[in-house]
Structure formats: structure tokens, C-alpha cells
Amino acid sequence: HNNLANALKAGGDIQAAIVHYHKALAIHPDFAAAHNNLGNALKVSGDIQAAIVHYHKALQINRDYADAHNNLGNALALTGNLEEAILHYQNALKLQPNFVQAHYNLDAILQTRGELQTAIDHYRLALRWQPDFAAARQNLDIALATLRGAGSKK
């Protein structure tokens, strides 16, 4: 059911995917990947709170699940809970230091909070592992320009 749900989600049938993730979890309630995948589908469907519940369940089953930490961080960021989101991005990076998307997600929050140098450092790390990551390159350029602008005003 999990694989079928993944295929349905990839094909854009989010509601059918959600049904099959639930079926997978009815058979194997401790299937961390199915909880994580269900969280992703629920987030896409707009049910952020339910997504958060399933990311937490995935992490209760496997606390070292970097993808679930990153996905939980994304959902928490959507709810405005930036401090907890940062903690989950950092957890993902402790588990998987070259996790490009977690670096990028953390960078975006740091940049909006004005923590430009730390954001720049993480963007550079993300680009070291994925040099063609256009969004990271663009945000790095913006952060550098902002930092230069702030420095010239002193």
C-alpha cells in the first residue's frame, strides 16, 4: 500500500494516496516511512496539523529519521513555529550533514530572521553538495548582497 500510495501521490492523486498510506499503517502501524509519507501527503492536501502528528509518529518510531525531521521542520515553519522548525532542521543535519534540502530550509529561516552570516554558511554547504541548486544560489546571492549593503551603511 505504501508503494501504491507513493505512485498515486507522484501522479497527483493525493486523496487516494492518503487512503493507501492509512491502509499501509493499518497493516504496519510502526512503519516510520509510511507515517512520513502520509505526513507529506497531508501537508500537500493542506492538513498541516495532521501532517505534524504523522511526522512526530515517524520520529517516535525512528528518532534518527533525517527526512522526517526535515519534513516536520517544514510543517512547523508553515505554522509559524520557527524555533522548533530550526531544531528539527538541525537534527536532520546532525544525522545527515550533507542533507542539502535541510541546509536550504534552515537557511531560509535564518535569512528571514536576519542571521545572514549563518545562512550564508549553510547556503555554501548546500551548494558544495549540489552546485546546480538554483534556489540556494539565488538566496545566497541575496544574502550576500544584503550583508554587503548592511556593511556599507555602517
Side-chain angles (χ1 to χ4, degrees):
H1 286 283
N2 186 65
N3 290 338
L4 175 58
N6 287 340
L8 290 165
K9 182 175 176 276
D13 194 347
I14 302 301
Q15 293 309 314
I18 289 170
V19 168
H20 283 280
Y21 288 129
H22 280 294
K23 287 181 179 182
L25 289 167
I27 297 166
H28 298 289
D30 289 338
F31 190 3
H35 281 290
N36 183 63
N37 293 339
L38 177 55
N40 289 337
L42 290 164
K43 187 174 72 145
V44 168
S45 77
D47 194 348
I48 306 301
Q49 293 305 320
I52 289 170
V53 167
H54 283 281
Y55 295 137
H56 276 296
K57 286 182 180 180
L59 290 168
Q60 287 169 354
I61 296 163
N62 179 3
R63 66 184 176 144
D64 294 334
Y65 194 170
D67 284 330
H69 278 291
N70 183 63
N71 292 333
L72 178 55
N74 290 339
L76 291 166
L78 289 173
T79 67
N81 190 344
L82 300 184
E83 294 305 317
E84 193 174 346
I86 288 170
L87 291 175
H88 284 283
Y89 295 139
Q90 290 171 334
N91 285 337
L93 291 168
K94 284 177 192 167
L95 295 165
Q96 194 176 327
N98 62 344
F99 194 163
V100 172
Q101 196 62 50
H103 277 288
Y104 178 78
N105 294 334
L106 176 59
D107 302 340
I109 290 176
L110 295 172
Q111 189 169 351
T112 61
R113 289 174 31 158
E115 298 177 39
L116 295 176
Q117 190 57 58
T118 305
I120 288 166
D121 294 342
H122 281 280
Y123 283 130
R124 286 182 171 150
L125 284 172
L127 288 164
R128 180 185 316 155
W129 288 301
Q130 190 177 334
D132 61 343
F133 193 172
R137 171 73 55 207
Q138 179 181 9
N139 284 356
L140 172 60
D141 291 344
I142 292 167
L144 287 168
T146 303
L147 192 61
R148 280 193 298 271
S152 67
K153 293 179 184 177
K154 290 182 180 179

